[in-house]
């Protein structure tokens, strides 16, 4: 019998706000445990919530880039459940009047993944388990950090569709400034609702949910495992499929039951009496729309069609919000798109790769980066020195021109000095000189390298090449 997999996703995305959803505590990642907390976000009585306006605007932006209808009136509700990292005993979310509905994201195949809704909610804290001491600790830094939950309809039929959708969602939201979407830091997490049914059937099978996935590779593995588990259960009756929430263990490649999957009624949703309904209105939506930066697909089209840049390299740049920002800022200063692109692809990404830094985690001053490009282009330093200076800017944020002057790295263009250095090289490498004059061209590169070494790498390679050929011909 043939089967088909049916999936829907709930994607949780932390919004790029400075402060939390209902208080002024920092929402930034990486603080010490419980450093970013106050009586309001740890659930103390007597501290009513004050809504973060910026979170509302970012949620509107998310709705715009995913083709949603933005609601005119929104409200907040209490989702009641007990968990140690939820100090209030309820999560503030949107159930009755979410901020966005009925959107879609289009895949490369032309298939549209339709969205049921986007709603705003507060994040819970985090449990830190210590197996050796058999205790669990609670870190509430994340409590009340603003999230949006993007709920799709069950439109997915393969792991490839899921990973492509998540990557497109990452680009849409990161370029719009909604979130940095760093899955490795938990700012983008995914719950997978998965079921299996006979091919051609219209009836959905028993649904299980795999919680808090934060890696595309792990998501693909989890879908493959869970769908096969469902198929095996249907074919062999090896186990009874029940509606439940499961945890994925990527180390051993298996999912485990966490708890029974409850329904909406079990959460006892009630309107939050401390937060009044909020009127969005068309003017607010349009002001957010007008403030949105260039999206990834438009950047790619501009780079290839208007700037005439290579397709592959343009895809690399437009596939990262960070690289796109660096490219645009450096281009504004340096003014030469091809050179800026080549320096990013050839040099900057090589440094990041050596340090095992992802494209979106590259942190460099674009103005200093552009300065290096202009210094090389203007003949102040050669490309080899430029690479070394770029490494120092990347690691220590030095001022390029100051560093070059302090270390005497300016390009040597004195013809007399270069001729003297080349004559020394020819005298020290008579065998190679004879081989070249005998017709062997391959030794020329070696002699150029020796000449560059004599000048401590500061000579103009073009001048060295010209002088060396001239002197070899004498």
């Amino acid at each position: 019998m043939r089967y088909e997999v049916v999936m829907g996703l709930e994607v949780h995305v932390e919004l790029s706000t400075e402060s939390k959803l209902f208080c002024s505590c920092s929402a930034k990642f990486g603080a010490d445990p419980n450093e970013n907390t106050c009586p309001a976000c740890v659930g103390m009585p007597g501290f009513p919530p004050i809504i973060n306006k910026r979170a509302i605007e970012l949620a509107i932006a998310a709705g715009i880039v995913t083709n949603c209808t933005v609601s005119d009136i929104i409200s907040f509700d209490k989702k009641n459940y007990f968990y140690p990292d939820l100090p209030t005993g309820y999560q503030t979310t949107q159930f009755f009047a979410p901020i966005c509905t009925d959107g879609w994201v289009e895949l490369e195949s032309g298939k549209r993944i339709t969205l049921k809704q986007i709603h705003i909610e507060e994040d819970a804290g985090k449990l830190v388990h210590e197996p050796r001491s058999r205790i669990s600790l609670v870190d509430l830094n994340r409590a009340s950090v603003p999230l949006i939950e993007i709920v799709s309809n069950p439109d997915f039929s393969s792991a490839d569709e899921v990973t492509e959708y998540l990557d497109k969602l990452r680009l849409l939201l990161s370029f719009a400034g909604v979130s940095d979407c760093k899955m490795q830091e938990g700012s983008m997490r995914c719950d997978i609702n998965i079921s299996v049914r006979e091919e051609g059937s219209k009836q959905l099978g028993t649904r299980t949910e795999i919680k808090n996935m934060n890696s595309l590779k792990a998501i693909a593995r989890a879908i493959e495992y869970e769908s096969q588990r469902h198929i095996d259960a249907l074919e062999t009756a090896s186990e009874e499929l029940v509606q439940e929430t499961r945890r994925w263990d990527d180390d051993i490649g298996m999912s485990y039951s966490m708890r029974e999957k409850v329904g909406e009624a079990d959460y006892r949703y009630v309107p939050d009496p401390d937060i009044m309904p909020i009127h969005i209105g068309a003017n607010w939506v349009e002001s957010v729309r007008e403030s949105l930066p260039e999206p990834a697909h438009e950047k790619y089209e501009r780079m290839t069609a208007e700037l005439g840049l290579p397709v592959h390299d343009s895809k690399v740049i437009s596939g990262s919000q960070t690289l796109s920002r660096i490219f645009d800022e450096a281009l504004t200063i340096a003014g030469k798109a091809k050179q800026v692109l080549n320096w990013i692809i050839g040099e900057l990404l090589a440094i990041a790769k050596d340090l095992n830094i992802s494209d979106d985690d590259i942190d460099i001053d674009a103005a200093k980066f552009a300065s290096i490009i202009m210094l090389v282009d203007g003949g102040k330093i050669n490309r080899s020195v430029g690479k070394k200076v770029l490494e120092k800017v990347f690691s220590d944020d030095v001022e390029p021109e100051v560093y070059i002057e302090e270390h005497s790295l300016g390009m040597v263009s004195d013809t007399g000095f270069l001729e003297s250095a080349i004559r020394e090289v020819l005298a020290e490498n008579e065998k190679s000189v004879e081989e070249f004059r005998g017709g062997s061209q391959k030794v020329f590169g070696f002699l150029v390298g020796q000449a560059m070494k004599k000048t401590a790498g500061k000579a103009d390679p073009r001048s060295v090449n010209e002088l060396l050929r001239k002197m070899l011909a004498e």
Side-chain angles (χ1 to χ4, degrees):
M1 186 175 293
R2 296 176 66 87
Y3 297 92
E4 60 182 5
V5 180
V6 181
M7 291 173 286
L9 300 188
E10 298 167 7
V11 181
H12 295 82
V13 178
E14 288 186 357
L15 301 176
S16 292
T17 58
E18 293 294 327
S19 57
K20 293 185 178 182
L21 187 55
F22 300 119
C23 67
S24 60
C25 290
S26 172
K28 295 303 179 184
F29 176 83
D32 291 335
N34 296 302
E35 178 182 344
N36 296 336
T37 57
C38 72
C41 57
V42 301
M44 296 294 181
F47 292 89
I50 301 174
I51 195 73
N52 186 333
K53 181 182 177 183
R54 182 59 180 160
I56 303 292
E57 292 175 339
L58 293 177
I60 293 172
I64 292 171
V65 299
T66 55
N67 307 290
C68 287
T69 299
V70 179
S71 303
D72 191 52
I73 301 288
I74 64 171
S75 61
F76 286 86
D77 313 292
K78 293 184 176 182
K79 179 182 180 181
N80 296 277
Y81 66 95
F82 173 78
Y83 210 66
D85 61 7
L86 193 68
T88 57
Y90 62 86
Q91 180 187 33
T92 304
T93 183
Q94 292 184 307
F95 179 73
F96 297 106
I99 191 165
C100 303
T101 56
D102 301 325
W104 50 268
V105 173
E106 187 168 312
L107 304 182
E108 291 296 326
S109 65
K111 178 178 180 179
R112 285 187 176 182
I113 303 301
T114 59
L115 306 182
K116 177 184 176 184
Q117 66 182 52
I118 298 175
H119 58 264
I120 305 169
E121 62 186 22
E122 61 177 342
D123 207 347
K126 180 181 179 182
L127 290 180
V128 181
H129 305 291
E130 296 188 354
R132 290 185 179 181
S133 57
R134 302 182 69 183
I135 63 172
S136 293
L137 304 175
V138 181
D139 180 6
L140 294 178
N141 278 340
R142 208 169 65 184
S144 198
V145 165
L147 293 174
I148 52 172
E149 182 174 340
I150 304 170
V151 184
S152 83
N153 291 307
D155 292 342
F156 299 94
S157 56
S158 71
D160 288 342
E161 287 183 353
V162 168
T163 54
E164 183 186 346
Y165 165 80
L166 290 172
D167 195 48
K168 282 189 173 291
L169 207 56
R170 176 186 65 83
L171 287 176
L172 288 169
L173 299 178
S174 62
F175 273 75
V178 173
S179 171
D180 59 23
C181 294
K182 293 181 178 178
M183 297 189 80
Q184 70 275 17
E185 293 182 2
S187 59
M188 183 175 180
R189 310 189 295 274
C190 175
D191 298 344
I192 308 166
N193 292 285
I194 183 169
S195 65
V196 171
R197 64 186 177 190
E198 293 181 17
E199 193 174 74
S201 172
K202 299 300 182 182
Q203 185 176 354
L204 293 174
T206 302
R207 175 170 58 97
T208 58
E209 179 185 38
I210 306 176
K211 292 287 287 184
N212 290 333
M213 303 295 295
N214 60 359
S215 156
L216 294 181
K217 184 178 179 181
I219 287 168
R221 292 184 69 201
I223 291 171
E224 181 181 0
Y225 171 86
E226 189 65 11
S227 58
Q228 190 60 52
R229 186 181 74 87
H230 280 234
I231 291 171
D232 291 343
L234 292 172
E235 288 188 334
T236 66
S238 56
E239 63 175 308
E240 181 185 0
L241 292 175
V242 296
Q243 186 167 300
E244 62 182 344
T245 298
R246 297 179 69 88
R247 169 183 172 269
W248 173 252
D249 189 325
D250 201 45
D251 291 332
I252 61 175
M254 294 180 65
S255 67
Y256 293 93
S257 179
M258 291 175 62
R259 58 183 179 267
E260 180 184 351
K261 180 67 177 173
V262 298
E264 293 175 350
D266 296 285
Y267 289 119
R268 294 171 289 124
Y269 287 98
V270 293
D272 192 325
D274 293 322
I275 308 174
M276 297 297 291
I278 298 171
H279 176 246
I280 302 294
N283 290 339
W284 196 0
V285 174
E286 285 308 306
S287 69
V288 172
R289 191 189 305 275
E290 290 172 2
S291 70
L292 290 176
E294 180 183 44
H297 67 278
E298 289 184 10
K299 181 174 293 295
Y300 170 77
E301 291 171 1
R302 176 168 61 87
M303 292 180 71
T304 53
E306 294 182 21
L307 300 178
L309 299 175
V311 168
H312 175 269
D313 294 348
S314 298
K315 283 184 178 179
V316 173
I317 300 298
S318 62
S320 164
Q321 191 274 336
T322 299
L323 294 183
S324 293
R325 175 187 56 78
I326 294 170
F327 174 83
D328 285 342
E329 292 179 7
L331 178 60
T332 299
I333 298 169
K336 294 185 177 181
K338 182 62 174 175
Q339 290 188 20
V340 173
L341 179 72
N342 288 343
W343 273 88
I344 292 176
I345 299 295
E347 277 70 48
L348 186 60
L349 290 185
I351 294 172
K353 183 178 180 180
D354 288 342
L355 297 174
N356 197 29
I357 296 173
S358 69
D359 294 356
D360 285 328
D361 287 328
I362 291 174
D363 184 14
I364 191 168
D365 188 318
K368 294 178 181 179
F369 179 55
S371 175
I372 294 170
I373 296 172
M374 291 189 295
L375 287 168
V376 173
D377 185 53
K380 304 295 184 181
I381 56 175
N382 62 38
R383 196 175 184 91
S384 177
V385 170
K387 292 178 183 179
K388 295 176 182 177
V389 177
L390 180 60
E391 290 174 358
K392 292 300 295 183
V393 171
F394 194 100
S395 61
D396 301 328
D397 197 32
V398 300
E399 290 289 343
E401 293 189 10
V402 173
Y403 184 82
I404 290 165
E405 183 177 352
E406 290 178 347
H407 293 80
S408 302
L409 296 175
M411 189 153 63
V412 176
S413 56
D414 184 288
T415 303
F417 174 79
L418 293 179
E419 287 182 349
S420 176
I422 291 171
R423 290 194 188 281
E424 290 182 21
V425 169
L426 297 179
E428 294 168 0
N429 297 276
E430 292 182 356
K431 183 178 178 181
S432 296
V433 172
E434 291 176 5
E435 289 179 8
F436 177 81
R437 288 173 173 164
S440 175
Q441 293 291 320
K442 64 182 181 180
V443 297
F444 185 77
F446 166 75
L447 294 172
V448 170
Q450 293 301 303
M452 293 298 294
K453 187 175 180 181
K454 280 284 184 184
T455 63
K458 295 184 289 184
D460 178 5
R462 287 174 295 183
S463 298
V464 170
N465 271 266
E466 291 173 3
L467 286 173
L468 182 58
R469 288 193 182 277
K470 179 182 178 182
M471 295 170 72
L472 283 168
E474 292 177 352

